[in-house]
Amino acid sequence: VCVCVCVCVCVCVCGVGGGLPMCYDWGEASEGGVSVLEGEAGWLFCPLFSHPSVYNYTSTRKDRLKPVWYHLPEGHDVEQPVQYSLRVSRDREHLLLLPAAAADTGQYICMLSNQTFCIKIAIRLKVLRPDEVVRDENCDPPVAVAPSQKIIPFQTGGLLDCPDVEEARKMATGNTTVTWTHKCTSPSNIHRQQRGASLQIHVMLNTYQGPYFCSVNYEREGLKLQFTRSVIVNFLPKLPSIHHPGKDQITTVKRNSDARLVCTALFPYLNSSWDIWWTVDGKRLDKLFDQHRFSRTSRWREETLKNEHGDRTVESVLLVQDFQSQDLKREFNCSVRNARGFETRRAQLEEEVSLPSLELGCGLGLLLLYRSWFGTDERHTDDKEYDVYISYARNSEEEHFVLFTLRGVLENELGFSVCIFDRDSLPGGTITDETLSFVARSRRLLVVVSPGYASRGSQALLELQAGIDGMALGGHLRVILVQYKPIQRQCWVRELRRARVALVLVRWQGDKSRELTSRFWKRLRVELPLRRVSMLSREKGSALCHDSSFVFLQYFI
């Protein structure tokens, strides 16, 4: 029996009864659209393959997931299957336009499906006429794709690679040639020479800055095709520069604790000496009368040592033991110098203001009581099956924390319905299908952040991507981050770093967080769906916060 709730979900709802697979729509790709110049070769890459650990061409073939492309032209309401021809064809993860035509403009949907599963994502294509492209000079060729950037230190060398030339070689059935121009002429001279498809700049001069254009010509099945890309080249000054602290940046320090002041500086490549140092009230550390309180450490950042131009970024840390209020009146300066110049930057300090723990905890308690009295129970407003879906790195230390602490308290103490894939999934099912279904049927996705998250298999990344997409599409799902142990931000998976600014992070602090009255559980309950508390619990909460609630509110007023 086919029962359609509304037009936009007919495929998902009707498919169950009609024998068609359920289809998960991931909306439009967040990376943005693709621009192609009319008459040039262009292609679309299916965004579903952007995460090879989740979907790749080999695994989808094993699962009999067939890629299909649909086209929704501008001004139309109904998408149609792409009609393949010699000009428009599919090559593995790509849809080829050889060449692109004005009628190709619109939205393209890439879909993977078999008899039991379907997932799709859209990407937008815009085909531009040559007169629609802005050019710096009349003799510059029109380019629809945004230019890439290249920085070459002054009086040193560098190699310019033509963007997308490797893609052309994969598609070509004949020879591929590349022609470079700069300021409307060939850049071939004693200082610049073309080497294969690349342009070698032996000595970077001021006049060599600006946009470079590479035109790629190739053949495919008898068709002569071409496209043009651009690379903007600039050179680095040789003066050293301080990146951190910024001119208006304020560092927070805590009284009676050790303060850590960080200075980060860039030293462009020079075959000469350089130095970075700290001063306190205009004196170097070895000249201070209380020098035992100050120590300094410097290190080269590992990633900059791999820079082919020899530039280096240096981080110098000033450690101040037992920081006191009078230290706020002192002047802490970081200075850098090389053979070309000098720069100094003062660290602006501000004392950290600590809120009394009773007032802070009571504030969360009051908020929970307020929600209990006046909040809306989401179970009455949606059709979700689970309150919380917990995502975590399997076979890790966090797994014990999830199974024996988070799950136990959420289910047994707080009364939430919890979904854990390894416990609640049925044997013999498709992991991708069941994972997406569980996440869609949950009100919250609770992600336990750890260094191993999304690196021990594809399922954790699939859960995370489904949750972030669910939030972006305006659904009822919300993503909450739980940090079990402190980890550096660069250890976070890329999707988490991008979405961190919009997500709530709740930190577990070991034994301090074990009691239900701790800040961790109160903070987590604020983010989870509302659950009514008994009248006795309300009275206890009111009594606990009565004496300090006025002080708490007065503090912030």
Side-chain angles (χ1 to χ4, degrees), residues 514-528:
R514 295 194 181 278
E515 296 295 330
L516 283 181
T517 55
S518 68
R519 174 173 173 78
F520 172 82
W521 291 111
K522 289 179 180 178
R523 185 75 179 87
L524 188 58
R525 286 177 60 193
V526 168
E527 302 302 329
L528 292 174

PDB file of all heavy atoms in Angstrom, residues 514-528:
ATOM      1  N   ARG A 514      31.786  12.551  37.426  1.00  0.00           N
ATOM      2  CA  ARG A 514      31.064  11.293  37.605  1.00  0.00           C
ATOM      3  C   ARG A 514      29.715  11.480  38.287  1.00  0.00           C
ATOM      4  O   ARG A 514      28.749  10.786  37.963  1.00  0.00           O
ATOM      5  CB  ARG A 514      31.922  10.298  38.390  1.00  0.00           C
ATOM      6  CG  ARG A 514      33.176   9.895  37.621  1.00  0.00           C
ATOM      7  CD  ARG A 514      33.848   8.688  38.204  1.00  0.00           C
ATOM      8  NE  ARG A 514      35.055   8.383  37.430  1.00  0.00           N
ATOM      9  CZ  ARG A 514      35.065   7.703  36.299  1.00  0.00           C
ATOM     10  NH1 ARG A 514      33.928   7.263  35.803  1.00  0.00           N
ATOM     11  NH2 ARG A 514      36.197   7.458  35.662  1.00  0.00           N
ATOM     12  N   GLU A 515      29.607  12.406  39.241  1.00  0.00           N
ATOM     13  CA  GLU A 515      28.348  12.614  39.943  1.00  0.00           C
ATOM     14  C   GLU A 515      27.319  13.273  39.020  1.00  0.00           C
ATOM     15  O   GLU A 515      27.661  14.122  38.177  1.00  0.00           O
ATOM     16  CB  GLU A 515      28.567  13.486  41.183  1.00  0.00           C
ATOM     17  CG  GLU A 515      29.461  12.851  42.242  1.00  0.00           C
ATOM     18  CD  GLU A 515      28.825  11.608  42.850  1.00  0.00           C
ATOM     19  OE1 GLU A 515      27.573  11.552  42.922  1.00  0.00           O
ATOM     20  OE2 GLU A 515      29.578  10.692  43.235  1.00  0.00           O
ATOM     21  N   LEU A 516      26.053  12.894  39.190  1.00  0.00           N
ATOM     22  CA  LEU A 516      24.994  13.473  38.370  1.00  0.00           C
ATOM     23  C   LEU A 516      24.820  14.966  38.602  1.00  0.00           C
ATOM     24  O   LEU A 516      24.259  15.665  37.766  1.00  0.00           O
ATOM     25  CB  LEU A 516      23.669  12.757  38.641  1.00  0.00           C
ATOM     26  CG  LEU A 516      23.504  11.387  37.985  1.00  0.00           C
ATOM     27  CD1 LEU A 516      22.140  10.804  38.316  1.00  0.00           C
ATOM     28  CD2 LEU A 516      23.675  11.480  36.485  1.00  0.00           C
ATOM     29  N   THR A 517      25.294  15.449  39.758  1.00  0.00           N
ATOM     30  CA  THR A 517      25.197  16.881  40.053  1.00  0.00           C
ATOM     31  C   THR A 517      26.358  17.670  39.454  1.00  0.00           C
ATOM     32  O   THR A 517      26.442  18.884  39.656  1.00  0.00           O
ATOM     33  CB  THR A 517      25.160  17.104  41.572  1.00  0.00           C
ATOM     34  OG1 THR A 517      26.319  16.479  42.161  1.00  0.00           O
ATOM     35  CG2 THR A 517      23.900  16.512  42.180  1.00  0.00           C
ATOM     36  N   SER A 518      27.284  17.004  38.729  1.00  0.00           N
ATOM     37  CA  SER A 518      28.448  17.696  38.171  1.00  0.00           C
ATOM     38  C   SER A 518      28.027  18.583  36.996  1.00  0.00           C
ATOM     39  O   SER A 518      26.952  18.430  36.416  1.00  0.00           O
ATOM     40  CB  SER A 518      29.492  16.683  37.693  1.00  0.00           C
ATOM     41  OG  SER A 518      29.011  15.970  36.563  1.00  0.00           O
ATOM     42  N   ARG A 519      28.912  19.501  36.658  1.00  0.00           N
ATOM     43  CA  ARG A 519      28.643  20.417  35.545  1.00  0.00           C
ATOM     44  C   ARG A 519      28.497  19.648  34.230  1.00  0.00           C
ATOM     45  O   ARG A 519      27.708  20.030  33.360  1.00  0.00           O
ATOM     46  CB  ARG A 519      29.772  21.447  35.438  1.00  0.00           C
ATOM     47  CG  ARG A 519      29.648  22.349  34.213  1.00  0.00           C
ATOM     48  CD  ARG A 519      30.688  23.459  34.223  1.00  0.00           C
ATOM     49  NE  ARG A 519      30.659  24.197  32.972  1.00  0.00           N
ATOM     50  CZ  ARG A 519      29.757  25.111  32.650  1.00  0.00           C
ATOM     51  NH1 ARG A 519      28.788  25.393  33.497  1.00  0.00           N
ATOM     52  NH2 ARG A 519      29.808  25.744  31.487  1.00  0.00           N
ATOM     53  N   PHE A 520      29.258  18.553  34.058  1.00  0.00           N
ATOM     54  CA  PHE A 520      29.190  17.797  32.805  1.00  0.00           C
ATOM     55  C   PHE A 520      27.769  17.321  32.529  1.00  0.00           C
ATOM     56  O   PHE A 520      27.232  17.537  31.441  1.00  0.00           O
ATOM     57  CB  PHE A 520      30.144  16.598  32.874  1.00  0.00           C
ATOM     58  CG  PHE A 520      30.008  15.656  31.699  1.00  0.00           C
ATOM     59  CD1 PHE A 520      30.643  15.933  30.506  1.00  0.00           C
ATOM     60  CD2 PHE A 520      29.235  14.504  31.796  1.00  0.00           C
ATOM     61  CE1 PHE A 520      30.513  15.077  29.407  1.00  0.00           C
ATOM     62  CE2 PHE A 520      29.101  13.647  30.718  1.00  0.00           C
ATOM     63  CZ  PHE A 520      29.740  13.941  29.530  1.00  0.00           C
ATOM     64  N   TRP A 521      27.147  16.645  33.510  1.00  0.00           N
ATOM     65  CA  TRP A 521      25.821  16.085  33.275  1.00  0.00           C
ATOM     66  C   TRP A 521      24.766  17.171  33.165  1.00  0.00           C
ATOM     67  O   TRP A 521      23.825  17.056  32.376  1.00  0.00           O
ATOM     68  CB  TRP A 521      25.456  15.092  34.377  1.00  0.00           C
ATOM     69  CG  TRP A 521      26.283  13.859  34.317  1.00  0.00           C
ATOM     70  CD1 TRP A 521      27.245  13.458  35.196  1.00  0.00           C
ATOM     71  CD2 TRP A 521      26.251  12.859  33.297  1.00  0.00           C
ATOM     72  NE1 TRP A 521      27.817  12.283  34.786  1.00  0.00           N
ATOM     73  CE2 TRP A 521      27.223  11.877  33.623  1.00  0.00           C
ATOM     74  CE3 TRP A 521      25.504  12.684  32.133  1.00  0.00           C
ATOM     75  CZ2 TRP A 521      27.455  10.760  32.839  1.00  0.00           C
ATOM     76  CZ3 TRP A 521      25.730  11.567  31.349  1.00  0.00           C
ATOM     77  CH2 TRP A 521      26.689  10.627  31.695  1.00  0.00           C
ATOM     78  N   LYS A 522      24.918  18.264  33.925  1.00  0.00           N
ATOM     79  CA  LYS A 522      23.961  19.369  33.799  1.00  0.00           C
ATOM     80  C   LYS A 522      24.068  20.005  32.416  1.00  0.00           C
ATOM     81  O   LYS A 522      23.064  20.294  31.765  1.00  0.00           O
ATOM     82  CB  LYS A 522      24.214  20.414  34.884  1.00  0.00           C
ATOM     83  CG  LYS A 522      23.835  19.966  36.291  1.00  0.00           C
ATOM     84  CD  LYS A 522      24.137  21.062  37.301  1.00  0.00           C
ATOM     85  CE  LYS A 522      23.775  20.633  38.713  1.00  0.00           C
ATOM     86  NZ  LYS A 522      24.105  21.676  39.700  1.00  0.00           N
ATOM     87  N   ARG A 523      25.320  20.229  31.974  1.00  0.00           N
ATOM     88  CA  ARG A 523      25.526  20.855  30.663  1.00  0.00           C
ATOM     89  C   ARG A 523      24.988  19.956  29.545  1.00  0.00           C
ATOM     90  O   ARG A 523      24.390  20.438  28.580  1.00  0.00           O
ATOM     91  CB  ARG A 523      27.023  21.100  30.462  1.00  0.00           C
ATOM     92  CG  ARG A 523      27.369  21.860  29.192  1.00  0.00           C
ATOM     93  CD  ARG A 523      27.031  23.323  29.339  1.00  0.00           C
ATOM     94  NE  ARG A 523      27.373  24.058  28.142  1.00  0.00           N
ATOM     95  CZ  ARG A 523      26.565  24.202  27.102  1.00  0.00           C
ATOM     96  NH1 ARG A 523      25.359  23.653  27.118  1.00  0.00           N
ATOM     97  NH2 ARG A 523      26.940  24.908  26.056  1.00  0.00           N
ATOM     98  N   LEU A 524      25.207  18.638  29.688  1.00  0.00           N
ATOM     99  CA  LEU A 524      24.743  17.713  28.673  1.00  0.00           C
ATOM    100  C   LEU A 524      23.215  17.662  28.643  1.00  0.00           C
ATOM    101  O   LEU A 524      22.599  17.624  27.568  1.00  0.00           O
ATOM    102  CB  LEU A 524      25.316  16.321  28.930  1.00  0.00           C
ATOM    103  CG  LEU A 524      25.074  15.264  27.847  1.00  0.00           C
ATOM    104  CD1 LEU A 524      25.648  15.727  26.510  1.00  0.00           C
ATOM    105  CD2 LEU A 524      25.690  13.933  28.252  1.00  0.00           C
ATOM    106  N   ARG A 525      22.581  17.676  29.810  1.00  0.00           N
ATOM    107  CA  ARG A 525      21.119  17.613  29.863  1.00  0.00           C
ATOM    108  C   ARG A 525      20.474  18.844  29.248  1.00  0.00           C
ATOM    109  O   ARG A 525      19.384  18.772  28.670  1.00  0.00           O
ATOM    110  CB  ARG A 525      20.654  17.448  31.319  1.00  0.00           C
ATOM    111  CG  ARG A 525      20.887  16.052  31.879  1.00  0.00           C
ATOM    112  CD  ARG A 525      20.474  15.981  33.333  1.00  0.00           C
ATOM    113  NE  ARG A 525      19.063  16.290  33.520  1.00  0.00           N
ATOM    114  CZ  ARG A 525      18.515  16.530  34.710  1.00  0.00           C
ATOM    115  NH1 ARG A 525      19.255  16.512  35.795  1.00  0.00           N
ATOM    116  NH2 ARG A 525      17.222  16.791  34.784  1.00  0.00           N
ATOM    117  N   VAL A 526      21.147  19.996  29.347  1.00  0.00           N
ATOM    118  CA  VAL A 526      20.620  21.205  28.715  1.00  0.00           C
ATOM    119  C   VAL A 526      20.516  21.024  27.205  1.00  0.00           C
ATOM    120  O   VAL A 526      19.585  21.512  26.563  1.00  0.00           O
ATOM    121  CB  VAL A 526      21.498  22.429  29.071  1.00  0.00           C
ATOM    122  CG1 VAL A 526      21.154  23.631  28.201  1.00  0.00           C
ATOM    123  CG2 VAL A 526      21.330  22.797  30.538  1.00  0.00           C
ATOM    124  N   GLU A 527      21.475  20.293  26.607  1.00  0.00           N
ATOM    125  CA  GLU A 527      21.500  20.110  25.155  1.00  0.00           C
ATOM    126  C   GLU A 527      20.635  18.943  24.691  1.00  0.00           C
ATOM    127  O   GLU A 527      20.288  18.865  23.509  1.00  0.00           O
ATOM    128  CB  GLU A 527      22.948  19.887  24.686  1.00  0.00           C
ATOM    129  CG  GLU A 527      23.913  21.004  25.049  1.00  0.00           C
ATOM    130  CD  GLU A 527      23.476  22.355  24.492  1.00  0.00           C
ATOM    131  OE1 GLU A 527      22.841  22.368  23.417  1.00  0.00           O
ATOM    132  OE2 GLU A 527      23.749  23.373  25.137  1.00  0.00           O
ATOM    133  N   LEU A 528      20.304  18.020  25.585  1.00  0.00           N
ATOM    134  CA  LEU A 528      19.512  16.859  25.212  1.00  0.00           C
ATOM    135  C   LEU A 528      18.020  17.194  25.237  1.00  0.00           C
ATOM    136  O   LEU A 528      17.615  18.218  25.779  1.00  0.00           O
ATOM    137  CB  LEU A 528      19.810  15.700  26.171  1.00  0.00           C
ATOM    138  CG  LEU A 528      21.226  15.112  26.063  1.00  0.00           C
ATOM    139  CD1 LEU A 528      21.445  14.078  27.147  1.00  0.00           C
ATOM    140  CD2 LEU A 528      21.460  14.500  24.691  1.00  0.00           C
TER     141      LEU A 528
END
